């Protein structure tokens, strides 16, 4: 008698284990058929960010400068560090190299080269200019403030991520 109950219990378990998951999935899919569920805001923002980043990568240097300068209607705000392609110290190094070239050509009044790095401290802030119409195109740039050790002179440099300096 115990064997019959045990064997029938095992057979019932096996039949349930074999057929029940498929029936449950079929029941659940029928219950959700025709329902509309919303996508979380975080998922949508990450997708929008990826699409905007891709579209922005196709902008020419002149188009990016138009966004930053406001010639192309835009909204300027601080950017997050993760949005930038460079780290702050990399942007400072690139700006110093560009400013050194400009200094050697007589276009910039101070020598900010590595030789004098202790004379000038720096603060760096990432910014982005987003087109005001579709919020699709974004130009990222750095604002770097070089300040002399005695605080008597400071220079504010704005530079695109590709190293293009557009104001100083």
């Amino acid at each position: 008698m115990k064997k019959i109950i045990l064997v029938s219990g095992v057979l019932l378990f096996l039949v349930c284990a074999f057929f029940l998951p498929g029936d449950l999935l079929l029941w659940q899919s029928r219950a959700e058929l025709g329902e509309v569920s919303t996508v979380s805001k975080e998922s949508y923002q990450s997708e929008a960010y990826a699409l905007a980043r891709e579209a922005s990568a196709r902008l020419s240097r002149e188009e990016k400068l138009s966004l930053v300068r406001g010639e192309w209607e835009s909204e300027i705000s601080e950017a997050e560090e993760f949005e930038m392609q460079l780290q702050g110290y990399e942007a400072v190094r690139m700006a110093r190299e560009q400013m050194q070239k400009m200094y050697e050509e007589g276009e910039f009044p101070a020598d900010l080269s590595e030789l004098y790095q202790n004379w000038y401290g720096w603060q760096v802030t990432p910014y982005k200019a987003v087109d005001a119409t579709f919020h699709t195109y974004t130009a990222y740039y750095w604002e770097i403030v070089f300040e002399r050790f005695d605080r008597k002179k400071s220079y504010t440099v704005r530079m695109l991520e590709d190293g293009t300096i557009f104001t100083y």
Side-chain angles (χ1 to χ4, degrees), residues 22-155:
D23 289 341
L24 284 174
L25 287 174
L26 186 61
W27 175 77
Q28 185 180 9
S29 67
R30 285 183 182 156
E32 292 178 357
L33 186 66
E35 281 188 29
V36 176
S37 42
T38 60
V39 177
S40 70
K41 195 172 188 177
E42 292 80 23
S43 298
Y44 179 72
Q45 286 177 341
S46 64
E47 286 293 319
Y49 172 73
L51 290 172
R53 190 68 170 168
E54 181 65 29
S56 299
R58 296 184 183 146
L59 291 175
S60 69
R61 179 181 297 151
E62 290 76 24
E63 290 170 327
K64 289 177 184 177
L65 289 172
S66 292
L67 269 174
V68 171
R69 291 179 178 152
E71 297 164 1
W72 182 357
E73 191 175 338
S74 62
E75 300 166 358
I76 296 177
S77 62
E78 273 194 41
E80 298 293 329
E81 285 277 338
F82 73 87
E83 294 179 88
M84 307 302 282
Q85 291 177 350
L86 300 172
Q87 297 292 320
Y89 68 91
E90 294 172 314
V92 169
R93 182 182 46 77
M94 188 182 291
R96 274 194 174 138
E97 290 171 1
Q98 296 296 329
M99 300 311 286
Q100 181 62 27
K101 289 177 189 173
M102 294 171 77
Y103 173 74
E104 290 170 0
E105 294 171 359
E107 297 176 12
F108 188 71
D111 185 1
L112 302 176
S113 68
E114 293 296 320
L115 179 63
Y116 298 106
Q117 70 178 348
N118 293 331
W119 287 24
Y120 285 91
W122 50 269
Q123 292 178 359
V124 63
T125 309
Y127 284 96
K128 62 183 175 182
V130 182
D131 77 291
T133 308
F134 298 109
H135 298 280
T136 302
Y137 299 104
T138 306
Y140 296 93
Y141 66 97
W142 294 94
E143 181 178 271
I144 306 164
V145 178
F146 292 101
E147 186 174 40
R148 207 164 99 174
F149 73 96
D150 59 4
R151 299 180 190 253
K152 289 186 178 182
K153 288 188 180 181
S154 68
Y155 302 98

Side-chain angles (χ1 to χ4, degrees), residues 5-35:
I5 294 174
L6 185 62
V7 169
S8 61
V10 169
L11 285 175
L12 182 62
F13 176 76
L14 289 175
V15 168
C16 287
F18 187 72
F19 291 109
L20 197 55
D23 289 341
L24 284 174
L25 287 174
L26 186 61
W27 175 77
Q28 185 180 9
S29 67
R30 285 183 182 156
E32 292 178 357
L33 186 66
E35 281 188 29

